[in-house]
Amino acid sequence: QVQLVESGGGSVEAGGSLRLSCAASTHTNSAYCMAWFRQKPGQEREGVAGIYTGFYSTRYADSVKDRFTISRDNAENTVYLQMNSLKPEDTAMYYCAACKLYPSLCNYWGQGTQVTVS
C-alpha cells in the first residue's frame, strides 16, 4: 500500500509559477512510474506528466511541454511538478499517482491539490 500526499497548490496569476510536491509513504522508485494528472471541472482526468523508473525518462502532455517539469527525489520518496508560464487553462485539481503503466494503470492516488490561474 502506497499513500501519496500532494502539496503546493494555490492561486497564481497567469505567467506565474508553482511547484507541486507529492510525498510517498514508501519507496516507489523501483516499482512505479510516478505521475501527475489533472482534472478540470466537467472534464475527465488527464495525464500531465510521468517519470519512469530506471533511467527516469519523462513524458509530458503536449499542452504542458516546455512549461512543466517532473522530477523525483528517491531519497525523499518525493515527486515534484514544476509549473512555469502558467495559463488560465491550467486551472484544475492536480493529482499525484503511482502507476504500473502510465497513464493507463495507476494503482495509487493522492487526494489532490487545487491550482487556480487567473
Side-chain angles (χ1 to χ4, degrees), residues 14-116:
S17 298
L18 283 174
R19 188 193 196 201
L20 305 183
S21 299
C22 171
S25 61
T26 187
H27 291 289
T28 60
N29 50 313
S30 63
Y32 296 99
C33 170
M34 299 302 296
W36 288 94
F37 289 74
R38 67 186 181 188
Q39 188 167 21
K40 303 176 184 180
Q43 297 187 25
E44 293 186 356
R45 193 175 297 186
E46 62 174 345
V48 174
I51 184 165
Y52 296 90
T53 60
F55 293 106
Y56 303 148
S57 59
T58 57
R59 176 178 170 181
Y60 295 94
D62 288 343
S63 59
V64 306
K65 276 181 183 176
D66 301 324
R67 298 189 298 122
F68 291 10
T69 302
I70 188 171
S71 61
R72 61 194 299 170
D73 183 336
N74 290 326
E76 297 293 328
N77 295 332
T78 302
V79 179
Y80 302 99
L81 185 67
Q82 178 67 44
M83 305 185 295
N84 298 328
S85 302
L86 283 161
K87 305 176 181 179
E89 51 263 43
D90 294 317
T91 295
M93 184 71 78
Y94 283 72
Y95 298 90
C96 177
C99 307
K100 281 295 187 181
L101 182 64
Y102 172 74
S104 56
L105 182 59
C106 295
N107 308 74
Y108 301 101
W109 295 88
Q111 82 288 350
T113 186
Q114 178 68 37
V115 172
T116 302

